[in-house]
């Protein structure tokens, strides 16, 4: 699809001195959409970096309340991590199935992704309810405010991701693998994998560095 | 799907959308995700092991955890998001590099400034007395 133009074609010009320019033409809509969504994800990561910065600044400000080591259960976090990691894998399987236009495998992989994501959310909500029930809610100390903001914001993203995932399953049923649906699936996969990347930072910085021996 | 048909369907111009793979072969695509999952599980297990072990010098643990986390993010970027160093990925990598610059400035800058402030701040009881 590339168009080659030659500048300065005049009689008597040395052909070795001609400037040849390659025009690739505009990128396809799939590339433009994917790139735009990538920019959004990076800005989302920048927003999370602000929450990480405030958490790491406030981690010692416990106002004589409990610190990270007393509050967090590593076993719970390990299960959450594995659930999210497996869901990232099945999400990858779903995007392969979408490229192959295999609706059956796509629905199975997306359903497994949704179940794993929901399992992650259940564990996280249970942890939050447990903390609040013990009186260690977000108003207890600056450390806990920062913790609930950071981890809660990630949890909100996962909830929104699950809603988006269910929407994509319904849209594939209703409209099939149209080009616009394929672009949405591409963006959803990017979103879901980016959430897992942010979770890597969360479990390392918040849970493991907080409870390290 | 043949390679030609794939490129036709995706409007391939020598650029890749983020998340899009160069490989079109089903087996090698699945294998890429399997390798990514294996590496990520290995790094996660190492992180949890390091955080709980007495075998290593204790002050080195936070640094090790950060290095392992960055390695795992790299694994996710390459094997799940397919952000590579290939020439068809330049735009995606440049956007990522700018994002990382901002993340580094925000996190590193906040931490640096606030730890200096904490260090130079008068202890709270003395501050209270001066305000009386």
């Amino acid at each position: 699809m590339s168009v080659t133009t030659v500048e300065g074609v005049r009689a008597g010009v040395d052909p070795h001195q001609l400037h040849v320019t390659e025009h690739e033409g505009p990128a396809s809509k799939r590339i433009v959409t994917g790139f735009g969504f990538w920019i959004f994800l990076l800005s989302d990561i920048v927003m999370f970096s602000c929450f990480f910065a405030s958490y790491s600044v406030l981690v010692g400000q416990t106002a004589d309340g409990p610190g990270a080591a007393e509050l967090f259960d590593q076993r719970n976090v390990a299960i959450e991590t594995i659930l999210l990691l497996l869901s990232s894998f099945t999400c990858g399987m779903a995007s392969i199935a979408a490229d192959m236009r295999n609706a059956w495998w796509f629905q199975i992989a997306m359903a497994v992704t949704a179940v794993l994501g929901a399992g992650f959310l259940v564990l996280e909500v249970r942890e939050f309810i447990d903390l609040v029930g013990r009186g260690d809610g977000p108003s207890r100390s600056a450390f806990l405010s920062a913790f609930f903001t950071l981890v809660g914001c990630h949890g909100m993203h996962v909830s929104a991701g699950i809603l988006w995932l269910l929407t994509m399953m319904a849209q594939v049923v209703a409209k099939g693998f149209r080009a616009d649906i394929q672009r949405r699936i591409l963006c959803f996969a990017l979103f879901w994998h980016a959430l897992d990347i942010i979770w890597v930072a969360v479990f390392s910085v918040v849970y493991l560095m907080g409870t390290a021996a | 799907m043949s390679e030609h048909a794939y490129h036709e369907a995706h409007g391939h111009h020598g650029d890749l959308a983020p998340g899009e793979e160069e490989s079109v072969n089903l087996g090698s695509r699945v294998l890429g995700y399997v390798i990514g999952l294996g590496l990520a599980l290995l790094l996660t297990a190492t992180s949890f092991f390091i955080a709980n072990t007495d075998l290593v010098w204790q002050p080195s643990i936070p640094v090790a955890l950060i290095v392992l986390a960055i390695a795992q993010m790299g694994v996710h970027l390459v094997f799940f998001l397919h952000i590579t160093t290939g020439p068809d990925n330049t735009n995606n990598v440049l956007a990522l590099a700018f994002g990382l610059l901002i993340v580094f400035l925000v996190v590193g800058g906040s931490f640096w400034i606030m730890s200096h402030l904490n260090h130079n701040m008068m202890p709270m009881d003395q501050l209270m007395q001066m305000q009386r």
Side-chain angles (χ1 to χ4, degrees):
Chain A
M1 294 280 271
S2 69
V3 181
T4 308
T5 54
V6 180
E7 289 165 19
V9 188
R10 268 174 287 133
V13 175
D14 178 6
H16 296 103
Q17 304 298 323
L18 294 177
H19 291 282
V20 178
T21 335
E22 287 256 327
H23 297 291
E24 297 239 306
S28 72
K29 186 146 188 186
R30 186 173 168 92
I31 290 177
V32 173
T33 308
F35 187 69
F37 196 73
W38 180 231
I39 301 283
F40 158 73
L41 282 178
L42 288 167
S43 69
D44 214 28
I45 288 174
V46 167
M47 183 201 72
F48 267 105
S49 79
C50 299
F51 288 138
F52 273 107
S54 58
Y55 178 82
S56 59
V57 164
L58 294 173
V59 70
Q61 315 300 316
T62 53
D64 295 327
E70 295 114 83
L71 287 179
F72 302 142
D73 173 22
Q74 271 197 13
R75 218 173 64 93
N76 196 46
V77 180
I79 298 171
E80 282 178 302
T81 305
I82 289 169
L83 286 178
L84 211 57
L85 193 52
L86 288 176
S87 85
S88 224
F89 176 76
T90 55
C91 175
M93 295 301 108
S95 33
I96 294 178
D99 282 346
M100 299 286 163
R101 298 171 169 271
N102 188 329
W104 183 235
W105 274 109
F106 174 79
Q107 298 290 0
I108 292 178
M110 287 293 257
V112 175
T113 310
V115 169
L116 292 168
F120 169 86
L121 270 184
V122 167
L123 287 180
E124 186 162 291
V125 168
R126 256 186 24 192
E127 183 193 23
F128 280 9
I129 290 175
D130 182 44
L131 284 176
V132 173
R134 280 190 282 164
D136 299 325
S139 52
R140 177 67 188 86
S141 62
F143 154 66
L144 278 165
S145 299
F147 165 78
F148 274 94
T149 315
L150 173 58
V151 182
C153 189
H154 178 268
M156 296 254 291
H157 276 73
V158 175
S159 317
I162 290 177
L163 286 181
W164 189 0
L165 187 160
L166 296 175
T167 313
M168 291 326 300
M169 286 173 77
Q171 288 199 327
V172 166
V173 169
K175 304 174 183 179
F177 291 115
R178 281 183 350 206
D180 55 342
I181 308 296
Q182 293 277 27
R183 287 197 296 272
R184 289 174 201 166
I185 293 172
L186 174 76
C187 291
F188 166 74
L190 282 171
F191 182 73
W192 198 257
H193 293 313
L195 285 187
D196 206 10
I197 290 187
I198 291 169
W199 180 254
V200 171
V202 170
F203 84 73
S204 300
V205 172
V206 175
Y207 291 102
L208 291 185
M209 280 167 78
T211 54
Chain B
M1 200 188 278
S2 76
E3 188 158 353
H4 181 72
Y6 179 85
H7 286 170
E8 199 110 285
H10 293 73
H12 203 49
H13 282 295
D15 266 329
L16 282 177
E20 199 123 66
E21 285 186 274
E22 274 178 83
S23 164
V24 293
N25 178 304
L26 173 67
S28 65
R29 289 188 67 182
V30 174
L31 185 66
Y33 282 101
V34 172
I35 294 173
L37 180 68
L39 285 175
L41 280 174
L42 191 70
L43 287 165
T44 304
T46 316
S47 284
F48 276 88
F49 170 75
I50 289 282
N52 293 304
T53 186
D54 296 326
L55 293 174
V56 296
W57 187 53
Q58 297 301 303
S60 72
I61 286 179
V63 182
L65 286 175
I66 288 174
V67 170
L68 285 164
I70 291 173
Q72 192 174 345
M73 288 178 194
V75 167
H76 283 240
L77 279 176
V78 171
F79 290 97
F80 293 162
L81 285 146
H82 312 298
I83 305 294
T84 63
T85 52
D88 45 11
N89 239 312
T90 320
N91 293 331
N92 305 335
V93 173
L94 279 177
L96 174 68
F98 181 69
L100 288 183
L101 172 72
I102 303 296
V103 168
F104 176 76
L105 288 178
V106 168
V107 175
S110 305
F111 197 69
W112 185 35
I113 292 172
M114 293 309 286
S115 61
H116 273 75
L117 267 182
N118 270 347
H119 186 73
N120 292 332
M121 185 115 127
M122 199 178 286
M124 196 50 93
D125 44 348
Q126 287 182 34
L127 200 69
M128 293 292 211
Q129 279 188 342
M130 282 183 68
Q131 280 174 346
R132 263 183 213 137

